[in-house]
Amino acid sequence: MTVSNTQSMAELKAPRSTVAIVRAFGVPADSVWQAITEPASVGCWFGDLTPALTPGSTARLDFGDGDFFSIADIQVEAPHQVSYTWRFLGIGPINHITWRVVPREGELGCVLTITDIEPGRTYEEAVNLREGWGDFAYRLEQYVHHKQYARYDWRRDIDASIELADQPEQLAQTLFRSDQQAAWLAFVDLNAAAGDTATLRDPDHEDAIETTDLDWLSPTRVRFNLRRPTWLQATTCELEIKSYRDGSLLTVSHGGWEHISENGDVQRMERKRFCTAWINALQQARELVAAQYAQA
């Protein structure tokens, strides 16, 4: 995203906790309600919802490529409003999601408002999230108006994050220390000098993973490539520890899956495999940090 003359970096970093999307539909409110709450309908435009949204229970919205949301705190006021909290990949910050369907008076149709609240989100993150919700709203429109299957096939990037209870510089001294990295990041070698190549063996696979083109952008941010011998090209990764509310977020971005093979199924399955690996790594990072501070 490009910063305009009237939009400073301070504004981009400023919190924008609430993102709201409003869409009008030319179908009865019951049709939209069904599309956002019933698993069979949700699966046609959004993701695989299991089980149905029931107050007092939990659920999961799965996209089939490794991405999913874990859902809790479900509240249902049929047939007009459903709300819940969710965590991306089960480990991300908590978002409060509300879907509200209001029939139009005196005419066919209804208005849907989607609200997504996360304290601590920046303006830039809010802009990107609004674009994402806009895409999902468009897919919902295609489904309810035209009964078209409207889900995307799979996402080409992995983005994951987990909250940690300390400041970035202190966390980097723990997580990025050469004698601590293997405790949470078994399939990446951050000990090589910039430009060096390091080969590690993935515990779950027989072939090795190469870490190449390591570039420390700051003490809390590192960029590198990962590649298996069977891939046509390397994938690109970035790890960063950044300030978030009273603590930090440990984040990973990992892309380039569409270039590792000419087979789309291989691309998706490798992405899914590494998505699980990153979830486990971030959880282990949190456990390592907790153990370090328990000893202090």
Coordinates of all heavy atoms in Angstrom, one line a residue, residues 129-177:
L129 N -8.0 -5.4 5.5 CA -9.1 -6.3 6.0 C -10.4 -5.9 5.3 O -11.3 -6.7 5.0 CB -9.3 -6.1 7.5 CG -10.3 -7.1 8.2 CD1 -10.0 -8.5 7.9 CD2 -10.5 -6.8 9.7
R130 N -10.7 -4.6 5.1 CA -11.9 -4.1 4.4 C -11.9 -4.7 3.0 O -13.0 -5.1 2.5 CB -12.0 -2.6 4.4 CG -13.2 -2.1 3.7 CD -13.2 -0.5 3.8 NE -13.2 0.0 5.1 CZ -14.3 0.1 5.8 NH1 -15.5 -0.2 5.3 NH2 -14.2 0.6 7.1
E131 N -10.8 -4.7 2.4 CA -10.7 -5.3 1.0 C -11.1 -6.8 1.1 O -11.8 -7.3 0.2 CB -9.3 -5.1 0.4 CG -9.0 -3.7 0.1 CD -7.6 -3.5 -0.4 OE1 -6.9 -4.5 -0.5 OE2 -7.2 -2.4 -0.8
G132 N -10.6 -7.5 2.1 CA -10.9 -8.9 2.2 C -12.3 -9.2 2.5 O -13.0 -10.1 1.9
W133 N -12.9 -8.4 3.4 CA -14.4 -8.6 3.6 C -15.2 -8.2 2.4 O -16.2 -8.8 2.1 CB -14.8 -7.7 4.8 CG -14.6 -8.4 6.1 CD1 -13.8 -8.0 7.2 CD2 -15.3 -9.6 6.6 NE1 -13.9 -8.9 8.2 CE2 -14.8 -9.9 7.9 CE3 -16.2 -10.5 6.0 CZ2 -15.3 -11.0 8.6 CZ3 -16.6 -11.6 6.7 CH2 -16.2 -11.8 8.0
G134 N -14.7 -7.2 1.6 CA -15.4 -6.8 0.4 C -15.5 -8.0 -0.6 O -16.5 -8.2 -1.2
D135 N -14.4 -8.7 -0.6 CA -14.3 -9.9 -1.5 C -15.3 -11.0 -1.1 O -16.0 -11.5 -1.9 CB -12.9 -10.4 -1.6 CG -12.8 -11.7 -2.4 OD1 -12.9 -11.6 -3.7 OD2 -12.6 -12.8 -1.9
F136 N -15.3 -11.2 0.2 CA -16.2 -12.2 0.8 C -17.7 -11.8 0.5 O -18.6 -12.6 0.2 CB -16.0 -12.5 2.2 CG -14.8 -13.4 2.5 CD1 -13.8 -13.0 3.4 CD2 -14.7 -14.6 1.8 CE1 -12.7 -13.8 3.6 CE2 -13.6 -15.5 2.1 CZ -12.6 -15.1 3.0
A137 N -18.0 -10.5 0.7 CA -19.3 -10.0 0.5 C -19.7 -10.2 -1.0 O -20.9 -10.5 -1.3 CB -19.4 -8.5 0.9
Y138 N -18.8 -10.0 -1.9 CA -19.1 -10.2 -3.3 C -19.4 -11.7 -3.6 O -20.3 -12.0 -4.3 CB -17.9 -9.8 -4.2 CG -18.0 -10.2 -5.6 CD1 -18.8 -9.5 -6.5 CD2 -17.3 -11.3 -6.1 CE1 -18.9 -9.8 -7.8 CE2 -17.4 -11.6 -7.4 CZ -18.2 -10.9 -8.3 OH -18.4 -11.3 -9.6
R139 N -18.6 -12.6 -2.9 CA -18.9 -14.0 -3.1 C -20.3 -14.4 -2.6 O -21.0 -15.2 -3.1 CB -17.8 -14.8 -2.5 CG -16.4 -14.6 -3.1 CD -15.3 -15.3 -2.5 NE -14.0 -15.0 -3.1 CZ -13.5 -15.5 -4.2 NH1 -14.2 -16.5 -4.8 NH2 -12.4 -15.1 -4.7
L140 N -20.6 -13.8 -1.4 CA -21.9 -14.0 -0.9 C -23.0 -13.5 -1.8 O -24.0 -14.2 -2.0 CB -22.1 -13.3 0.5 CG -23.4 -13.3 1.2 CD1 -23.9 -14.8 1.4 CD2 -23.4 -12.5 2.5
E141 N -22.8 -12.4 -2.4 CA -23.8 -11.9 -3.4 C -24.0 -12.8 -4.6 O -25.1 -13.1 -5.0 CB -23.4 -10.5 -3.9 CG -23.5 -9.4 -2.9 CD -22.8 -8.1 -3.4 OE1 -22.1 -8.2 -4.4 OE2 -22.9 -7.1 -2.7
Q142 N -22.9 -13.4 -5.1 CA -23.0 -14.3 -6.2 C -23.7 -15.5 -5.8 O -24.5 -16.1 -6.6 CB -21.6 -14.7 -6.7 CG -20.7 -13.5 -7.3 CD -21.4 -12.9 -8.4 OE1 -21.8 -13.6 -9.4 NE2 -21.7 -11.6 -8.3
Y143 N -23.6 -16.0 -4.6 CA -24.3 -17.2 -4.1 C -25.8 -16.9 -4.0 O -26.6 -17.7 -4.5 CB -23.6 -17.7 -2.9 CG -24.4 -18.9 -2.3 CD1 -24.5 -20.1 -2.9 CD2 -25.2 -18.7 -1.1 CE1 -25.2 -21.2 -2.4 CE2 -25.9 -19.8 -0.6 CZ -25.9 -21.0 -1.3 OH -26.7 -22.0 -0.8
V144 N -26.1 -15.9 -3.2 CA -27.6 -15.7 -2.9 C -28.4 -15.2 -4.1 O -29.6 -15.5 -4.2 CB -27.8 -14.7 -1.7 CG1 -27.1 -15.3 -0.4 CG2 -27.2 -13.4 -2.0
H145 N -27.7 -14.5 -5.0 CA -28.5 -14.0 -6.2 C -28.5 -14.9 -7.3 O -29.5 -15.0 -8.1 CB -27.8 -12.6 -6.6 CG -28.2 -11.5 -5.8 ND1 -27.3 -10.5 -5.4 CD2 -29.3 -11.1 -5.1 CE1 -27.8 -9.6 -4.6 NE2 -29.1 -10.0 -4.4
H146 N -27.4 -15.7 -7.5 CA -27.3 -16.5 -8.7 C -27.1 -18.0 -8.4 O -27.0 -18.8 -9.3 CB -26.1 -16.0 -9.6 CG -26.1 -14.6 -9.9 ND1 -27.1 -14.0 -10.7 CD2 -25.3 -13.6 -9.5 CE1 -26.9 -12.7 -10.8 NE2 -25.8 -12.4 -10.0
K147 N -27.1 -18.3 -7.1 CA -26.9 -19.7 -6.7 C -25.6 -20.3 -7.3 O -25.5 -21.5 -7.6 CB -28.1 -20.6 -7.0 CG -29.4 -20.2 -6.3 CD -29.2 -20.1 -4.8 CE -30.4 -19.6 -4.1 NZ -30.2 -19.5 -2.6
Q148 N -24.6 -19.5 -7.4 CA -23.3 -19.9 -7.9 C -22.4 -20.3 -6.8 O -22.3 -19.7 -5.7 CB -22.6 -18.8 -8.7 CG -23.3 -18.4 -10.0 CD -22.6 -17.3 -10.7 OE1 -21.6 -16.8 -10.2 NE2 -23.1 -16.9 -11.8
Y149 N -21.6 -21.4 -7.0 CA -20.6 -21.8 -6.0 C -19.5 -20.7 -6.2 O -19.0 -20.5 -7.3 CB -20.0 -23.2 -6.4 CG -18.9 -23.6 -5.4 CD1 -19.3 -24.3 -4.3 CD2 -17.6 -23.4 -5.7 CE1 -18.3 -24.8 -3.4 CE2 -16.6 -23.9 -4.9 CZ -16.9 -24.6 -3.7 OH -16.0 -25.0 -2.9
A150 N -19.2 -20.0 -5.1 CA -18.4 -18.8 -5.2 C -17.1 -18.8 -4.4 O -16.5 -17.8 -4.2 CB -19.2 -17.6 -4.9
R151 N -16.7 -19.9 -3.8 CA -15.5 -20.0 -3.0 C -14.2 -19.8 -3.8 O -14.2 -20.3 -4.9 CB -15.4 -21.3 -2.2 CG -16.3 -21.2 -0.9 CD -16.3 -22.6 -0.2 NE -15.0 -23.0 0.2 CZ -14.8 -24.1 1.0 NH1 -15.9 -24.8 1.4 NH2 -13.6 -24.4 1.4
Y152 N -13.2 -19.2 -3.2 CA -11.9 -19.2 -3.9 C -11.3 -20.6 -3.7 O -11.6 -21.3 -2.8 CB -11.0 -18.1 -3.4 CG -10.6 -18.2 -2.0 CD1 -9.5 -19.0 -1.6 CD2 -11.2 -17.4 -1.0 CE1 -9.0 -19.0 -0.3 CE2 -10.8 -17.5 0.3 CZ -9.7 -18.3 0.7 OH -9.3 -18.3 2.0
D153 N -10.3 -20.9 -4.6 CA -9.7 -22.3 -4.6 C -8.8 -22.4 -3.4 O -9.0 -23.3 -2.6 CB -9.1 -22.6 -5.9 CG -8.1 -21.6 -6.4 OD1 -7.9 -20.6 -5.7 OD2 -7.4 -21.9 -7.4
W154 N -7.8 -21.6 -3.3 CA -6.8 -21.6 -2.2 C -6.0 -20.3 -2.2 O -5.8 -19.7 -3.3 CB -6.0 -22.8 -2.1 CG -5.1 -23.1 -3.3 CD1 -5.5 -23.6 -4.6 CD2 -3.7 -22.8 -3.5 NE1 -4.4 -23.7 -5.4 CE2 -3.3 -23.2 -4.8 CE3 -2.7 -22.3 -2.6 CZ2 -2.0 -23.1 -5.2 CZ3 -1.4 -22.1 -3.1 CH2 -1.1 -22.5 -4.4
R155 N -5.5 -19.9 -1.0 CA -4.8 -18.7 -0.9 C -3.3 -18.9 -1.2 O -2.8 -19.9 -0.7 CB -5.0 -18.1 0.5 CG -4.7 -16.6 0.5 CD -5.4 -15.9 1.8 NE -4.9 -16.5 3.0 CZ -3.9 -15.9 3.7 NH1 -3.3 -14.8 3.3 NH2 -3.5 -16.4 4.8
R156 N -2.7 -18.0 -1.9 CA -1.3 -18.2 -2.3 C -0.2 -17.9 -1.3 O 0.9 -18.2 -1.5 CB -1.0 -17.5 -3.6 CG -1.3 -18.2 -4.9 CD -2.7 -18.9 -4.9 NE -3.0 -19.5 -6.2 CZ -4.1 -20.2 -6.5 NH1 -5.0 -20.3 -5.5 NH2 -4.3 -20.8 -7.6
D157 N -0.6 -17.2 -0.2 CA 0.3 -16.8 0.8 C -0.1 -17.4 2.2 O -1.3 -17.6 2.4 CB 0.4 -15.3 1.0 CG 0.9 -14.6 -0.3 OD1 1.9 -15.1 -0.8 OD2 0.3 -13.6 -0.7
I158 N 0.9 -17.6 3.0 CA 0.6 -18.0 4.4 C 0.9 -16.7 5.3 O 2.0 -16.1 5.1 CB 1.5 -19.1 4.9 CG1 1.2 -20.4 4.2 CG2 1.4 -19.3 6.4 CD1 2.1 -21.6 4.5
D159 N 0.0 -16.3 6.1 CA 0.2 -15.2 7.0 C -0.3 -15.7 8.4 O -1.5 -16.1 8.5 CB -0.6 -14.0 6.6 CG -0.1 -13.4 5.3 OD1 1.0 -13.0 5.2 OD2 -0.9 -13.5 4.3
A160 N 0.6 -15.7 9.4 CA 0.2 -16.2 10.7 C 0.8 -15.3 11.8 O 1.8 -14.7 11.5 CB 0.7 -17.6 10.9
S161 N 0.2 -15.2 12.9 CA 0.7 -14.4 14.0 C 0.2 -15.0 15.3 O -0.8 -15.7 15.4 CB 0.2 -12.9 13.9 OG -1.2 -12.8 14.0
I162 N 1.0 -14.6 16.4 CA 0.6 -15.0 17.7 C 1.0 -13.9 18.7 O 2.1 -13.3 18.5 CB 1.3 -16.4 18.1 CG1 0.6 -17.0 19.3 CG2 2.8 -16.3 18.3 CD1 1.0 -18.5 19.5
E163 N 0.2 -13.7 19.7 CA 0.5 -12.7 20.7 C 1.5 -13.2 21.7 O 1.4 -14.3 22.2 CB -0.8 -12.2 21.4 CG -1.7 -11.5 20.5 CD -3.0 -11.1 21.3 OE1 -2.9 -10.2 22.2 OE2 -4.1 -11.7 21.0
L164 N 2.5 -12.3 22.1 CA 3.5 -12.6 23.1 C 3.6 -11.4 24.1 O 3.4 -10.3 23.7 CB 4.9 -12.8 22.5 CG 5.0 -14.0 21.4 CD1 6.4 -14.0 20.8 CD2 4.6 -15.3 22.0
A165 N 3.8 -11.8 25.3 CA 3.7 -10.8 26.4 C 5.0 -10.2 26.8 O 5.5 -10.3 27.9 CB 3.0 -11.4 27.6
D166 N 5.6 -9.5 25.8 CA 6.8 -8.6 26.1 C 7.0 -7.8 24.9 O 6.3 -7.9 23.9 CB 8.0 -9.5 26.4 CG 9.1 -8.8 27.2 OD1 8.9 -7.5 27.3 OD2 10.0 -9.4 27.7
Q167 N 8.0 -6.9 25.0 CA 8.3 -6.0 23.9 C 9.2 -6.7 22.8 O 9.9 -7.6 23.1 CB 9.0 -4.7 24.4 CG 8.1 -3.9 25.4 CD 6.7 -3.7 24.8 OE1 6.6 -3.0 23.7 NE2 5.7 -4.1 25.5
P168 N 9.1 -6.2 21.6 CA 9.9 -6.9 20.5 C 11.3 -7.1 20.7 O 11.9 -8.2 20.4 CB 9.6 -5.9 19.3 CG 8.3 -5.3 19.6 CD 8.3 -5.1 21.1
E169 N 12.1 -6.1 21.2 CA 13.5 -6.2 21.4 C 13.9 -7.3 22.4 O 14.8 -8.0 22.2 CB 14.1 -4.8 21.8 CG 14.0 -3.7 20.7 CD 12.6 -3.2 20.5 OE1 11.7 -3.4 21.4 OE2 12.4 -2.5 19.5
Q170 N 13.1 -7.3 23.5 CA 13.4 -8.4 24.5 C 13.1 -9.8 23.9 O 13.8 -10.7 24.2 CB 12.6 -8.1 25.7 CG 13.1 -6.9 26.6 CD 12.9 -5.6 25.9 OE1 11.9 -5.3 25.3 NE2 13.9 -4.7 26.0
L171 N 12.0 -9.9 23.2 CA 11.6 -11.2 22.6 C 12.6 -11.7 21.6 O 12.9 -12.9 21.5 CB 10.2 -11.1 22.0 CG 9.0 -10.9 23.0 CD1 7.8 -10.5 22.3 CD2 8.8 -12.2 23.8
A172 N 13.1 -10.7 20.8 CA 14.1 -11.1 19.8 C 15.3 -11.7 20.5 O 16.0 -12.7 19.9 CB 14.5 -9.9 19.0
Q173 N 15.7 -11.2 21.6 CA 16.9 -11.7 22.3 C 16.7 -13.2 22.8 O 17.6 -13.9 23.0 CB 17.2 -10.8 23.5 CG 17.7 -9.4 23.1 CD 17.9 -8.5 24.3 OE1 17.9 -9.0 25.5 NE2 18.1 -7.2 24.1
T174 N 15.4 -13.5 23.0 CA 15.1 -14.9 23.3 C 14.9 -15.8 22.1 O 15.5 -16.8 22.0 CB 13.8 -15.0 24.2 OG1 14.0 -14.3 25.4 CG2 13.4 -16.4 24.5
L175 N 14.0 -15.4 21.2 CA 13.6 -16.2 20.1 C 14.7 -16.4 19.0 O 14.8 -17.4 18.3 CB 12.3 -15.7 19.5 CG 11.1 -15.8 20.4 CD1 9.9 -15.2 19.7 CD2 10.8 -17.2 20.8
F176 N 15.4 -15.3 18.8 CA 16.4 -15.3 17.7 C 17.8 -15.6 18.1 O 18.8 -15.6 17.3 CB 16.4 -14.0 17.0 CG 15.1 -13.7 16.2 CD1 14.7 -12.4 16.0 CD2 14.3 -14.7 15.8 CE1 13.5 -12.1 15.3 CE2 13.1 -14.5 15.1 CZ 12.7 -13.2 14.8
R177 N 18.0 -16.0 19.4 CA 19.3 -16.4 19.9 C 19.7 -17.7 19.2 O 18.8 -18.6 19.0 CB 19.3 -16.6 21.4 CG 19.8 -15.4 22.2 CD 19.6 -15.6 23.7 NE 20.0 -17.0 24.1 CZ 19.7 -17.4 25.3 NH1 19.0 -16.7 26.2 NH2 20.0 -18.7 25.7

